[in-house]
Amino acid sequence: MRRPFIAGNWKMNMTAESGAALIKELKPLVKGAKCDVALCVPAILIPTMVRAAKGSRIKIGAQNMHWAKNGAYTGEISAEMLKEYGVKYVIIGHSERRQYFGETDQTVNQRTLAALANDLTPIVCVGETLEERESSKTNAVLDKQLTDGLAGVEDLTKLVIAYEPVWAIGTGKTATDEQAQETIAYIRKKLSKLFGHKAANRVKIQYGGSMNAANCKGLMAQKDIDGGLIGGASLKTDFATIVNFDK
Ligand code: PEP
């Protein structure tokens, strides 16, 4: 039985003031939730949001981390720095990092292994572009992202996969329930080949891409979908409606 996991991705949004105010509003709304809940916030907001979320179901996550312990990597953040503030989750290889900041399957792999070595739970993002989907390359793209991105992972169940079709992120165009289920089932099948049936059956796989208060129930009802990675809708109290998808 996989416990559902709903995570928000604030991206480069919010300030210390507006973020803390939103968490204050969300706290009572997510109190009775039966799933795990996280908000992945900009690095500079982590200490303030950890304080704001204290005593609630909401865990604070980061949106990226470097694989090195420390060193001359201007602008980067280490696992140790995240852990010092009680961070539990870290998004790795989001499509925006791949698209705008040169993230590759190899750097995704380095970050993932470093997160796991430091007892952080990586939320590893995979997904195809519209062009790749339309030219029937979705499965091949996912095969490569999973094989290369997760190379050397010893315990698959210590991470979370987020399937995020790039064409559905921030576009308002959600994958249909069937499209999301079909692709996530494919991902589970591929993971089964790479890591064995037992681990693949236990690992959580989220859907991400314009998931919102209106479409979350249908997506969450799918057999292989264990949660959501939520961008836009995590910037408002709609996030609580998604967390309470089963009510
Ligand atoms: C995301 O940032 O991972 C995402 C899915 O964004 P949105 O929900 O806005 O499409």
Side-chain angles (χ1 to χ4, degrees), residues 101-158:
F101 302 101
E103 191 86 58
T104 64
D105 292 329
Q106 280 63 44
T107 55
V108 167
N109 185 238
Q110 285 173 286
R111 292 181 211 277
T112 301
L113 294 178
L116 290 169
N118 283 283
D119 293 324
L120 290 167
T121 303
I123 303 174
V124 182
C125 301
V126 295
E128 80 287 1
T129 62
L130 185 59
E131 196 192 342
E132 287 161 347
R133 177 161 279 262
E134 287 177 343
S135 53
S136 305
K137 291 193 186 127
T138 300
N139 293 356
V141 167
L142 294 171
D143 282 356
K144 185 173 180 315
Q145 288 176 340
L146 294 167
T147 307
D148 295 353
L150 303 181
V153 167
E154 282 176 8
D155 185 352
L156 183 71
T157 64
K158 292 249 158 52

Side-chain angles (χ1 to χ4, degrees), residues 30-202:
V30 303
K31 214 172 174 177
K34 294 200 186 67
C35 58
D36 293 330
V37 186
L39 283 172
C40 299
V41 307
I44 196 168
L45 301 184
I46 287 172
T48 311
M49 297 316 134
V50 167
R51 265 197 309 278
K54 211 172 165 201
S56 79
R57 306 290 316 276
I58 304 167
K59 301 273 179 265
I60 299 302
Q63 298 176 8
N64 191 20
M65 60 161 262
H66 197 269
W67 53 87
K69 185 168 165 18
N70 59 280
Y73 301 104
T74 302
E76 294 289 329
I77 306 249
S78 73
E80 190 183 7
M81 293 169 190
L82 296 178
K83 276 173 38 169
E84 197 174 11
Y85 285 95
V87 165
K88 186 166 159 43
Y89 298 100
V90 55
I91 298 175
I92 304 285
H94 190 280
S95 65
E96 287 150 18
R97 302 272 347 148
R98 293 177 189 256
Q99 196 178 345
Y100 306 131
F101 302 101
E103 191 86 58
T104 64
D105 292 329
Q106 280 63 44
T107 55
V108 167
N109 185 238
Q110 285 173 286
R111 292 181 211 277
T112 301
L113 294 178
L116 290 169
N118 283 283
D119 293 324
L120 290 167
T121 303
I123 303 174
V124 182
C125 301
V126 295
E128 80 287 1
T129 62
L130 185 59
E131 196 192 342
E132 287 161 347
R133 177 161 279 262
E134 287 177 343
S135 53
S136 305
K137 291 193 186 127
T138 300
N139 293 356
V141 167
L142 294 171
D143 282 356
K144 185 173 180 315
Q145 288 176 340
L146 294 167
T147 307
D148 295 353
L150 303 181
V153 167
E154 282 176 8
D155 185 352
L156 183 71
T157 64
K158 292 249 158 52
L159 56 81
V160 174
I161 302 284
Y163 167 59
E164 300 208 299
V166 179
W167 47 272
I169 298 178
T171 58
K173 240 193 252 170
T174 323
T176 63
D177 298 346
E178 294 73 25
Q179 273 173 328
Q181 164 56 30
E182 189 189 9
T183 314
I184 289 180
Y186 177 79
I187 290 173
R188 210 178 285 288
K189 201 168 108 200
K190 179 69 190 174
L191 292 174
S192 178
K193 282 189 197 142
L194 293 171
F195 295 94
H197 178 69
K198 202 167 155 202
N201 209 27
R202 283 181 53 204

Side-chain angles (χ1 to χ4, degrees), residues 6-11 13-14 18-19 22-23 26 38-41 63 91 211-213 228-240 242-243:
I6 305 290
N9 174 14
W10 281 1
K11 310 192 187 192
N13 292 296
M14 296 297 206
S18 61
L22 176 60
I23 290 183
L26 287 171
L39 283 172
C40 299
V41 307
Q63 298 176 8
I91 298 175
M211 192 161 168
N212 58 37
L229 184 54
I230 322 294
S234 72
L235 299 170
K236 31 193 187 171
T237 49
D238 282 29
F239 184 65
I242 303 174
V243 166

